[in-house]
Amino acid sequence: MTKFIDLRSDTVTHPTKEMLEVMFSATVGDDVYGEDPTVNALEEKAAQLFGMEAGLFCPSGTMTNQIAIKVHTQPGDEVICDRLSHIYNYEGGGIAFNSGASVRLLDGQRGIFTADQVLANINGEDIHLPHTALVEIENTVNKGGGCYYTTEQIAAIHNVCKQYKLPLHMDGARLFNALVETNQTTKEIGSYFDTISICLSKGLGTPVGSVLVGTKAHIAKAKRIRKVFGGAWRQAGYLAAAGIYALDNHVTRLKEDHQRARDLERTLNDLPYVTSILPVQTNIVIFTLPSSEITQKLLTYIKANGILASAFGKEQIRFVTHLDFNDDMLTKVSEVLRKATV
């Protein structure tokens, strides 16, 4: 069986030996009864990290985002988010399906919008318009090539939301990737948001899980919604133990992933068949090719040479660096790309 260098996503990682040992030795109970001590410890840890009152451990970031949207909205409401946002593009139409809400799409820069854009898109009391109920940002922005919000940008959006009494939710799928680059503290970030979805199974390298953090009232409501969504689970402490380990051990090393992504960017910059590259800020590399045919040809070529990547539109390819991608693999990928004749 071919062992591929897998750059399709940072979700493809396997638990490290140390993480597995922690998982196998976890103390567990029935989480539906609130009796799994390891789940409880993870939820408390995540909440405290961000200065929040409570947390809820869920199977996926899509679930924590969709729960948060339902917590903050009623059917017929409207959610303000960017056109590139994960909640709009990659969650199966869940905003409409789960919450009966519509979306107001903003055209940000690589998925990052401004406070002025939010202000210009808040509906008034006109009965012909849906009620603006929630603002959502994604950090880092997947379709934006892993770019991130600055503290000033977040603070300005927060101030508009506060003025208009709008809750602010963050899809923090790769939040820690942003934090290690900006040196923002978790508590500082937490102070700007009503709820945050924290994914553990991307850059942090756990096998499963995300945590939604917020007020006690938000999380009590979220727990009921999680049950309706079928997300209640039993001895989930084996998975929660991986989350605790990742938060303690896998955050600062994210900078290694970012450096390797920048190295890939430098390689791609020298290749004649690459049309453009989104500036690399974290662990996502998105580059454009002259045609869809060349895109497919390159994907086929690198796969034949033991490398997997994702098509990201007809003329784009995405690489995502991660815990299981090392310097030797980086060297091989660069060599294969240089030898490609597409």
Side-chain angles (χ1 to χ4, degrees):
M1 181 177 177
T2 303
K3 184 173 176 59
F4 287 98
I5 297 172
D6 198 339
L7 291 172
R8 290 174 299 173
S9 178
D10 44 6
T11 61
V12 301
T13 60
H14 295 81
T16 63
K17 178 175 178 287
E18 294 79 10
M19 182 181 285
L20 281 172
E21 289 172 354
V22 169
M23 293 170 69
F24 285 135
S25 63
T27 303
V28 300
D30 191 319
D31 183 53
V32 172
Y33 290 110
E35 294 175 354
D36 191 305
T38 311
V39 170
N40 294 342
L42 171 62
E43 292 172 343
E44 183 178 354
K45 182 181 185 69
Q48 288 182 352
L49 267 176
F50 289 89
M52 299 288 194
E53 292 179 344
L56 185 66
F57 186 38
C58 295
S60 71
T62 293
M63 181 174 281
T64 47
N65 282 332
Q66 290 301 314
I67 288 173
I69 292 165
K70 194 159 183 66
V71 163
H72 294 302
T73 65
Q74 294 294 321
D77 285 347
E78 188 166 80
V79 179
I80 294 176
C81 63
D82 193 88
R83 188 173 300 279
L84 299 185
S85 66
H86 193 278
I87 64 167
Y88 174 68
N89 287 283
Y90 295 123
E91 298 188 5
I95 298 172
F97 189 90
N98 298 314
S99 297
S102 60
V103 293
R104 177 70 64 90
L105 299 176
L106 305 184
D107 290 309
Q109 290 286 98
R110 294 174 60 189
I112 294 176
F113 54 79
T114 67
D116 287 342
Q117 286 178 288
V118 174
L119 186 60
N121 285 276
I122 298 172
N123 294 330
E125 295 305 316
D126 187 333
I127 62 170
H128 300 89
L129 303 176
H131 172 249
T132 304
L134 175 66
V135 177
E136 183 270 353
I137 76 170
E138 181 182 340
N139 205 20
T140 66
V141 184
N142 176 23
K143 285 180 74 68
C147 56
Y148 49 78
Y149 283 81
T150 65
T151 303
E152 292 73 23
Q153 289 169 322
I154 291 172
I157 293 169
H158 163 80
N159 289 338
V160 170
C161 290
K162 185 175 180 181
Q163 179 184 351
Y164 285 85
K165 296 181 172 57
L166 290 172
L168 180 59
H169 172 68
M170 179 193 282
D171 172 4
R174 295 180 175 88
L175 173 55
F176 286 97
N177 292 86
L179 295 182
V180 298
E181 290 296 321
T182 62
N183 294 318
Q184 297 161 321
T185 67
T186 51
K187 280 191 169 59
E188 178 185 14
I189 286 297
S191 69
Y192 295 119
F193 293 89
D194 294 273
T195 49
I196 300 176
S197 166
I198 305 159
C199 187
L200 302 169
S201 62
K202 293 186 174 71
L204 297 186
T206 74
V208 173
S210 291
V211 182
L212 180 67
V213 294
T215 65
K216 289 180 179 178
H218 286 145
I219 299 305
K221 188 174 181 181
K223 195 166 188 176
R224 179 174 289 274
I225 295 166
R226 185 186 68 172
K227 174 65 175 177
V228 174
F229 283 0
W233 43 11
R234 303 297 179 174
Q235 289 75 30
Y238 296 112
L239 298 172
I244 293 171
Y245 182 87
L247 289 171
D248 287 340
N249 296 280
H250 286 175
V251 173
T252 56
R253 64 146 306 279
L254 290 170
K255 286 192 173 184
E256 299 174 23
D257 299 340
H258 301 175
Q259 183 56 55
R260 292 183 183 112
R262 293 185 187 106
D263 289 342
L264 285 171
E265 179 187 27
R266 280 191 286 273
T267 295
L268 292 165
N269 268 322
D270 294 334
L271 300 178
Y273 56 81
V274 174
T275 304
S276 63
I277 311 166
L278 290 182
V280 174
Q281 292 183 273
T282 52
N283 69 323
I284 298 176
V285 184
I286 296 176
F287 59 100
T288 304
L289 299 159
S291 68
S292 58
E293 290 78 13
I294 290 176
T295 299
Q296 289 305 313
K297 189 175 180 181
L298 183 61
L299 287 169
T300 300
Y301 167 77
I302 64 173
K303 183 175 182 180
N305 284 272
I307 300 162
L308 299 177
S310 293
F312 219 57
K314 292 181 179 179
E315 297 171 355
Q316 287 187 324
I317 290 175
R318 185 187 73 169
F319 293 151
V320 186
T321 58
H322 50 73
L323 181 67
D324 289 351
F325 180 67
N326 59 35
D327 287 336
D328 290 340
M329 294 174 178
L330 172 65
T331 299
K332 178 178 177 180
V333 171
S334 298
E335 289 174 351
V336 168
L337 290 170
R338 290 190 184 101
K339 291 178 182 177
T341 55
V342 293

